[in-house]
Amino acid sequence: MSTPLESPDQGGLATLDRELEELIREENIEPGDHERFSHYVKKDKILESAITGKPVRALCGKKWTPGRDPEKFPVCPTCKEIYESLGG
């Protein structure tokens, strides 16, 4: 019988580390000013994210998992410009 230390590919911490690295790569966490704004996202995508935990993509291209009160931040100028150009 093998132990997790002998077979790291069978699960355990090695698997968790790989899964975490993959999630970080997929979410493409973007540093910078995007974190200071509220972004425009389709309402159904926000609801889906709340249920599944999947990240959403804003009109400006920002990809993240919503988790803060958007009322506390100014609207992203890029999202606002794109929304207004769509006739919103």
Side-chain angles (χ1 to χ4, degrees):
M1 182 169 177
S2 66
T3 65
L5 295 176
E6 293 172 10
S7 309
D9 291 332
Q10 299 299 317
L13 292 177
T15 300
L16 291 175
D17 287 343
R18 274 196 314 276
E19 289 174 358
L20 179 59
E21 288 173 10
E22 184 178 330
L23 284 172
I24 290 171
R25 245 189 339 271
E26 285 177 3
E27 287 192 29
N28 191 21
I29 297 171
E30 300 172 13
D33 288 343
H34 283 293
E35 301 304 322
R36 299 180 187 173
F37 297 113
S38 292
H39 296 274
Y40 288 180
V41 178
K42 290 182 178 181
K43 287 181 183 180
D44 62 324
K45 294 295 181 185
I46 293 173
L47 178 60
E48 179 182 343
S49 177
I51 293 170
T52 66
K54 288 183 179 179
V56 295
R57 185 171 303 275
L59 288 178
C60 68
K62 163 81 173 143
K63 188 175 180 181
W64 84 108
T65 303
R68 60 185 184 156
D69 182 0
E71 298 294 322
K72 295 182 179 180
F73 300 89
V75 173
C76 168
T78 306
C79 281
K80 185 175 182 177
E81 183 180 325
I82 294 169
Y83 181 76
E84 289 173 352
S85 73
L86 295 173

